[in-house]
């Protein structure tokens, strides 16, 4: 099993994973976000990314101190000053959340924060379930997921289609 809580596994991965590792280490993203327990989740760690897939970094953020979080991101220059950033406050699964989106060296990056440890957030839990399924089902299944993603199907719904899941977002958590 891969330790997805650290990014070192990306160094030995496919071309996209290696480039992601280079970008994340070049900008010291995980080092600068250390206080928020960052974890890379989503399609890139699983090797099922397609063109335009983003680097999903999930963090634990106390949103009662949201301004402190945003100030710290800017102070630590996680996002270079010349990079456009969007910030959105949303509610996900009943939890206040913050989402920052920007580009770094050709990669769309999303930093997602909730006041929940990243390993308990649904993005991480979905990724672990998808990892186990990909290992069990093999490369043919993985290629089918990638093909669905290339057609615009989101990750969880792609798994749901191939596995016959009624509610893939909930069913993957089981």
């Amino acid at each position: 099993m891969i330790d997805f809580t650290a990014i070192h596994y990306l160094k030995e991965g496919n071309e996209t994973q290696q480039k992601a590792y280079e970008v994340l280490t070049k900008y010291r993203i995980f080092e600068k976000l250390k206080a928020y327990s960052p974890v890379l989740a989503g399609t890139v760690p699983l090797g099922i990314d397609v063109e335009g897939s983003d680097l999903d970094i999930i963090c634990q953020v106390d949103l009662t101190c949201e301004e402190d979080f945003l100030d710290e991101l800017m102070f630590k220059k996680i996002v270079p000053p010349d990079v456009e950033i969007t910030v959105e406050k949303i509610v996900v699964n009943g939890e206040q959340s913050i989402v920052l989106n920007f580009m770094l060296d050709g990669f769309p990056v999303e930093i997602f924060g909730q006041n929940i440890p990243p390993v308990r957030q649904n993005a991480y839990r979905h990724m672990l379930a998808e990892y186990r399924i990909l290992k069990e089902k093999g490369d043919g299944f993985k290629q089918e997921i990638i093909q669905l993603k290339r057609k615009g199907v989101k990750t969880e719904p792609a798994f749901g289609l191939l596995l016959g899941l009624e509610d893939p977002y909930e069913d993957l958590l089981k």
Side-chain angles (χ1 to χ4, degrees):
M1 174 86 169
I2 295 173
D3 176 8
F4 289 109
T5 63
I7 62 170
H8 304 295
Y9 66 92
L10 296 171
K11 287 192 288 190
E12 308 301 322
N14 65 29
E15 184 178 343
T16 302
Q17 291 169 329
Q18 290 176 23
K19 286 180 183 175
Y21 181 80
E22 289 172 20
V23 169
L24 293 170
T25 54
K26 172 183 174 182
Y27 291 97
R28 299 178 23 236
I29 300 293
F30 279 67
E31 181 182 326
K32 293 174 181 177
L33 285 171
K34 186 177 182 177
Y36 304 100
S37 307
V39 174
L40 184 65
T43 60
V44 172
L46 296 175
I48 56 172
D49 53 285
V50 296
E51 187 175 331
S53 291
D54 58 6
L55 299 177
D56 293 310
I57 303 168
I58 57 176
C59 298
Q60 181 171 7
V61 178
D62 179 355
L63 292 173
T64 61
C65 305
E66 167 190 318
E67 293 306 318
D68 293 343
F69 173 67
L70 294 173
D71 289 347
E72 188 170 338
L73 291 183
M74 299 313 152
F75 174 72
K76 290 187 175 179
K77 295 183 173 49
I78 288 174
V79 182
D82 59 333
V83 171
E84 185 178 323
I85 182 170
T86 62
V87 178
E88 186 178 8
K89 299 169 196 169
I90 59 175
V91 176
V92 176
N93 298 321
E95 291 288 330
Q96 293 294 321
S97 308
I98 189 164
V99 183
L100 292 79
N101 288 284
F102 53 94
M103 294 290 290
L104 277 183
D105 293 356
F107 273 106
V109 178
E110 179 174 286
I111 297 176
F112 177 88
Q114 284 185 329
N115 196 12
I116 298 173
V119 296
R120 290 191 20 234
Q121 291 182 26
N122 283 351
Y124 184 79
R125 295 172 61 212
H126 284 153
M127 182 177 67
L128 289 183
E130 292 158 359
Y131 174 75
R132 285 191 294 272
I133 293 165
L134 289 168
K135 287 292 177 200
E136 178 186 310
K137 299 282 188 187
D139 197 54
F141 183 85
K142 181 178 183 177
Q143 293 310 313
E144 289 181 71
I145 293 288
I146 292 170
Q147 288 306 316
L148 286 170
K149 291 188 58 55
R150 284 189 178 132
K151 292 177 183 175
V153 179
K154 295 280 191 188
T155 306
E156 286 78 3
F159 275 84
L161 281 170
L162 294 180
L163 297 171
L165 304 176
E166 258 184 65
D167 181 353
Y169 291 96
E170 284 302 315
D171 293 343
L172 284 169
L173 296 176
K174 297 175 186 172

